[in-house]
Amino acid sequence: MSYLHVVAQQKQDITAIGKSLYEKKNYKAALTVYNEAVADNKKDTNAYFGRGLTNLVLHNYDDAIGDFKKVIKLNPKDAEAYLHKGAAYAATEEYKKAIKEYDNAIAIEPAYVDAYNFRGNAKYASADTNGAIKDYDMAIKADSEYADAYFNRGTIHELRKEYAPAINDLTIAIALNPADADAYFNRAFAQDALHDYRGAIGDYNVVIRLDSTFIEAYYNRGIDKEKLGVYYLAILDFGALLRIDSTDAEAYLAMGIAKDSLKYHMSAIIDYTTAIRINPDLAEAYYDRAESNIMLGRKDQVCADLNMAYSLKLSKALKALNDNKCSISKPDTDNHHKSRILQFLSGWDIE
């Protein structure tokens, strides 16, 4: 074997080591090895590509874009390099540039399902939901078992309040990937919107079985149980959530409401008070604490709580203030607060 052949073999081994380290998720070590590989051979497309993937995972997006540009310069027909270059642009919210890269990938490989899926994600992020759905349609046409496209299309249908097609897509996604907790959660959310609380609870059960720390599933399942009048079981769900995250004011509020429904008003007041301590801008907690105190005949705090609820723009508090003959304090027009929206949105995984 000649000396030159030995050197070439060593260089190839360096790139292979980088790939092995990447696959083992030892990204920093992989980056070091890839740096050595490209330093040794400026035309090693595998080394540039591997380093680009590594930089992508490490959130070094500009470096990743540079690496994929090197690959494309050396091999303009490398569709995968365009795909990941697009992913790097998407990660920095440069969606127009990302879409252009996905266009390039599709021009090279017209049946490139990942490129259609990623382009759909970029279009969705650009508020082009119609374009996104068309791309997911194309991905599914190219591969009828491409679970991510069904999931993503179903998620957009759900956001557009098209619940029946959302459930249909998410059901197919679940059939293709039965371990996808997010798909069960999103389907449950759509079932909630259609008032199919028992169906939703069944899906939340699976979510929690797959991921016992999925706090939104505990919360939503508890709310559905409240709607079905199964208050004791709802309390158990909120309690399970609070064992995972003891700072969740909404969970304390919901648990207080369930306890009020069981006429455990004093215990409910404790929950509302805890919710207020965590989030002083939670208007419903003041209102519900006032209602509990009314039920207990303790009217000393009622007016103060109703005024706080009213100052936080809770409109129904005004009627309660009048009903309870409370003097009305001037609302604080400078008070701004944000209500929590319990709606799951899947992130786009670029790995």
Side-chain angles (χ1 to χ4, degrees):
M1 181 181 294
S2 71
Y3 172 76
L4 290 176
H5 187 77
V6 171
V7 171
Q9 183 66 43
Q10 288 174 339
K11 290 177 181 176
Q12 182 61 38
D13 289 344
I14 292 173
T15 302
I17 291 169
K19 183 179 180 181
S20 176
L21 290 167
Y22 175 87
E23 290 172 348
K24 293 174 182 177
K25 299 187 178 182
N26 191 350
Y27 301 123
K28 290 185 178 179
L31 188 61
T32 299
V33 172
Y34 282 130
N35 285 338
E36 183 180 345
V38 297
D40 284 343
N41 183 356
K42 302 295 185 184
K43 294 186 178 182
D44 187 346
T45 57
N46 289 329
Y48 283 118
F49 187 89
R51 191 172 71 175
L53 288 179
T54 306
N55 276 318
L56 200 55
V57 173
L58 292 173
H59 302 170
N60 302 328
Y61 300 122
D62 289 340
D63 290 340
I65 290 166
D67 283 330
F68 294 123
K69 282 181 177 178
K70 291 280 190 181
V71 176
I72 292 164
K73 184 176 180 180
L74 292 165
N75 180 11
K77 295 296 184 182
D78 191 327
E80 198 172 359
Y82 286 107
L83 177 82
H84 291 290
K85 184 181 171 190
Y89 279 128
T92 59
E93 300 183 2
E94 295 184 82
Y95 299 117
K96 288 184 179 179
K97 290 182 178 180
I99 289 168
K100 183 178 178 181
E101 299 302 329
Y102 301 140
D103 290 342
N104 291 332
I106 291 166
I108 296 166
E109 292 188 22
Y112 198 168
V113 292
D114 286 338
Y116 285 113
N117 187 52
F118 279 36
R119 191 172 70 179
N121 296 343
K123 288 179 180 178
Y124 163 72
S126 303
D128 179 10
T129 58
N130 289 330
I133 284 180
K134 287 179 182 177
D135 274 336
Y136 300 138
D137 290 343
M138 292 298 295
I140 290 165
K141 183 178 179 181
D143 182 357
S144 62
E145 296 187 355
Y146 193 81
D148 284 353
Y150 288 106
F151 176 89
N152 293 337
R153 189 174 70 179
T155 299
I156 290 180
H157 280 310
E158 184 174 274
L159 291 171
R160 288 164 37 156
K161 300 184 179 180
E162 300 162 353
Y163 298 116
I167 289 170
N168 183 64
D169 276 340
L170 292 165
T171 298
I172 296 171
I174 288 167
L176 293 169
N177 184 7
D180 187 348
D182 294 342
Y184 287 102
F185 183 88
N186 283 16
R187 188 173 70 174
F189 196 92
Q191 289 169 327
D192 277 335
L194 295 175
H195 308 295
D196 180 10
Y197 304 125
R198 287 183 173 83
I201 287 171
D203 275 344
Y204 291 132
N205 289 344
V206 179
V207 174
I208 291 166
R209 190 158 62 243
L210 292 169
D211 182 356
S212 62
T213 65
F214 204 131
I215 61 173
E216 292 89 347
Y218 287 106
Y219 182 89
N220 288 6
R221 189 173 71 174
I223 293 295
D224 284 347
K225 288 175 181 177
E226 281 189 329
K227 291 174 180 175
L228 293 173
V230 193
Y231 301 114
Y232 288 107
L233 296 181
I235 290 167
L236 290 177
D237 274 336
F238 301 133
L241 187 163
L242 289 166
R243 284 192 291 276
I244 300 168
D245 180 6
S246 62
T247 66
D248 193 317
E250 294 277 0
Y252 279 108
L253 172 63
M255 188 156 64
I257 292 170
K259 289 178 180 178
D260 262 338
S261 298
L262 294 169
K263 302 187 178 184
Y264 298 154
H265 303 304
M266 187 61 72
S267 184
I269 287 170
I270 294 171
D271 288 331
Y272 298 139
T273 302
T274 304
I276 290 165
R277 187 164 61 247
I278 296 168
N279 180 7
D281 290 341
L282 191 55
E284 284 283 356
Y286 293 102
Y287 182 89
D288 290 337
R289 187 170 69 178
E291 292 284 290
S292 297
N293 277 314
I294 290 169
M295 297 302 297
L296 290 171
R298 299 170 54 189
K299 298 199 175 183
D300 52 324
Q301 290 295 316
V302 170
C303 293
D305 276 343
L306 291 175
N307 268 299
M308 279 299 302
Y310 183 51
S311 75
L312 291 166
K313 309 289 193 295
L314 189 66
S315 58
K316 65 181 178 180
L318 179 59
K319 183 178 184 301
L321 282 164
N322 290 325
D323 290 345
N324 287 279
K325 298 180 172 58
C326 296
S327 59
I328 300 172
S329 302
K330 184 179 179 181
D332 180 3
T333 56
D334 293 328
N335 188 307
H336 300 286
H337 65 283
K338 295 180 180 179
S339 62
R340 175 181 175 189
I341 300 173
L342 281 163
Q343 177 170 319
F344 183 85
L345 293 175
S346 173
W348 312 118
D349 186 358
I350 62 174
E351 290 190 57

